[in-house]
Amino acid sequence: MPHTIVSEICEGVSDCVNACPVACIKPGNGKNKKGTDFYWIDFSTCIDCGICLQVCPVEGAVINDERSELQKTPT
Ligand code: SF4
Ligand code: SF4
């Protein structure tokens, strides 16, 4: 089960981006409702290692579940 970044909670710190072993965390388009950058996880590449959740400093930004409705991806 892939991990999800909650677009409206992520603050774009990007600690997760460099920590991900398969480089599947990508920048989102524009800003979220907090006015910060945000990232999203490519579910098809994520290997569910959990490192992004461990390194993220923002409570609730990463979820150990596949929740596409919480994660904005470029269309
Ligand atoms: S999920 Fe966490 S570590 Fe990754 S960009 Fe968002 S706030 Fe930063
Ligand atoms: S669970 Fe692992 S592979 Fe998936 S996005 Fe997070 S760091 Fe990357």
Side-chain angles (χ1 to χ4, degrees), residues 5 10-16 39 56-58 62:
I5 292 177
C10 175
E11 296 181 2
V13 180
S14 80
D15 290 356
C16 60
Y39 287 78
C56 179
V58 179
V62 183

Side-chain angles (χ1 to χ4, degrees), residues 5-14 26-40 56-59 61 72:
I5 292 177
V6 183
S7 305
E8 302 299 354
I9 296 180
C10 175
E11 296 181 2
V13 180
S14 80
K26 324 264 186 193
N29 281 341
K31 306 286 185 189
N32 61 17
K33 287 180 183 162
K34 287 179 166 179
T36 69
D37 293 334
F38 64 96
Y39 287 78
W40 59 281
C56 179
V58 179
E59 180 78 33
K72 284 195 234 177

Side-chain angles (χ1 to χ4, degrees), residues 2-3 16 19-25 41-42 45-53 62:
H3 283 52
C16 60
C20 177
V22 294
C24 70
I25 305 178
I41 292 170
D42 179 355
T45 311
C46 175
I47 56 170
D48 197 27
C49 69
I51 292 172
C52 52
L53 181 55
V62 183

Side-chain angles (χ1 to χ4, degrees), residues 53-70:
L53 181 55
Q54 290 171 36
V55 301
C56 179
V58 179
E59 180 78 33
V62 183
I63 298 177
N64 181 11
D65 201 356
E66 183 171 333
R67 298 286 298 278
S68 58
E69 75 279 15
L70 298 176

